[in-house]
Amino acid sequence: MTKKKIIILAVILIIAAIFGYNYIYQDHRDIETETAEFSISSSEIATLFSEDITSAEQKFLNKTIEISGIISEINTNDITIDDKAFCQFSDVITTALDKTDTIKIKGRVIGYDDLLEQVKLDQCTIIN
C-alpha cells in the first residue's frame, strides 16, 4: 500500500468513527416539551389498536400523544386510565390524584399489550 492509500483509509475511518459516535450518543427526546401529534381518549386509541394493530402502530408508535380518561389505577410511577392505557412516568408522581379522577396525560406510545389489551406509554407527564 502506498502512503496515499493509507492516509485516505485513515481519514475514512476517522469520519466513520465520528458519525458513529454522534449517532449512538445523540440527544434523547424530551417528550414533556414536544407538541402532541394526537389528542385522543384512552377508549378510542385502545379500540383502534384492538381492531387493527398494524395500522394503529404505524399511526401512533413512537409518537407523542395526549391521552385522556378516568384513572382506574395509580401507583408511584404509573397510572392506568380506563383500564385501557398504561402510562409510565420517569419520576415519582407527586400530584395528589385519586381513582375516578378525570386526567389528561402526555406521553410517547411504545406499544400495545394484546394480553392486557392496554396501550403502553412512557415518559409521561400530567397535563391537568
Side-chain angles (χ1 to χ4, degrees), residues 61-81:
L61 197 63
N62 206 28
K63 299 281 194 310
T64 301
I65 68 165
E66 287 181 1
I67 192 164
S68 58
I70 298 171
I71 297 172
S72 53
E73 185 177 338
I74 185 166
N75 296 307
T76 56
N77 284 5
D78 59 73
I79 294 175
T80 304
I81 303 175

Side-chain angles (χ1 to χ4, degrees), residues 52-109:
D52 187 0
I53 193 168
T54 305
S55 66
E57 281 182 341
Q58 288 174 346
K59 184 175 183 177
F60 295 108
L61 197 63
N62 206 28
K63 299 281 194 310
T64 301
I65 68 165
E66 287 181 1
I67 192 164
S68 58
I70 298 171
I71 297 172
S72 53
E73 185 177 338
I74 185 166
N75 296 307
T76 56
N77 284 5
D78 59 73
I79 294 175
T80 304
I81 303 175
D82 295 322
D83 290 325
K84 304 286 184 189
F86 179 82
C87 305
Q88 186 175 24
F89 292 77
S90 301
D91 299 319
V92 174
I93 301 168
T94 57
T95 307
L97 299 168
D98 293 317
K99 281 187 176 182
T100 71
D101 284 352
T102 301
I103 193 166
K104 184 181 272 190
I105 294 176
K106 182 166 62 168
R108 178 179 64 133
V109 177

Side-chain angles (χ1 to χ4, degrees), residues 5-80:
K5 287 182 182 179
I6 292 172
I7 292 172
I8 292 172
L9 183 60
V11 169
I12 291 172
L13 288 174
I14 290 171
I15 292 171
I18 291 170
F19 279 112
Y21 178 83
N22 288 334
Y23 178 76
I24 291 172
Y25 294 104
Q26 61 187 337
D27 291 334
H28 296 285
R29 290 173 59 185
D30 185 8
I31 302 300
E32 188 174 356
T33 61
E34 286 185 17
T35 304
E37 294 184 44
F38 300 97
S39 186
I40 191 167
S41 75
S42 61
S43 301
E44 288 177 281
I45 195 168
T47 301
L48 291 171
F49 271 96
S50 65
E51 289 175 352
D52 187 0
I53 193 168
T54 305
S55 66
E57 281 182 341
Q58 288 174 346
K59 184 175 183 177
F60 295 108
L61 197 63
N62 206 28
K63 299 281 194 310
T64 301
I65 68 165
E66 287 181 1
I67 192 164
S68 58
I70 298 171
I71 297 172
S72 53
E73 185 177 338
I74 185 166
N75 296 307
T76 56
N77 284 5
D78 59 73
I79 294 175
T80 304

